[in-house]
Amino acid sequence: MPICCHFSRTDPTNRTSGERITFEMESDRFAWIQVARGIVTLNGESLREGDGVQINSPELLELTTDASAEILLFDLA
């Protein structure tokens, strides 16, 4: 089973704003998002440190992070 992991950490020197990240899932893939630090908004839903989300259907994922956020996005087959 191929697994691809994407890691994002906002620029620690820029504490005034976060990032906007988009990821388009392929039709035969699944995803898991883990919030390691900070606050993240995923498609309008707020997530905090320690939260994880399983995505079962292909869609465009839009994440907005706060200035200290760290996330892991696992792209799974």
Side-chain angles (χ1 to χ4, degrees):
M1 171 194 318
I3 298 174
C4 182
C5 179
H6 305 272
F7 174 76
S8 176
R9 180 171 61 187
T10 55
D11 180 358
T13 62
N14 180 9
R15 294 287 182 190
T16 59
S17 64
E19 291 182 39
R20 183 166 182 263
I21 302 161
T22 59
F23 180 79
E24 189 165 356
M25 293 175 55
E26 295 181 25
S27 61
D28 60 341
R29 309 286 292 182
F30 303 92
W32 178 267
I33 296 172
Q34 187 69 45
V35 181
R37 183 184 305 179
I39 299 172
V40 175
T41 301
L42 169 63
N43 293 354
E45 293 290 325
S46 182
L47 305 170
R48 297 186 154 296
E49 185 172 320
D51 287 346
V53 177
Q54 179 178 336
I55 311 293
N56 292 322
S57 59
E59 62 181 285
L60 178 65
L61 304 177
E62 295 181 347
L63 297 120
T64 306
T65 67
D66 72 1
S68 64
E70 294 180 8
I71 63 167
L72 294 163
L73 189 157
F74 296 90
D75 180 9
L76 308 166

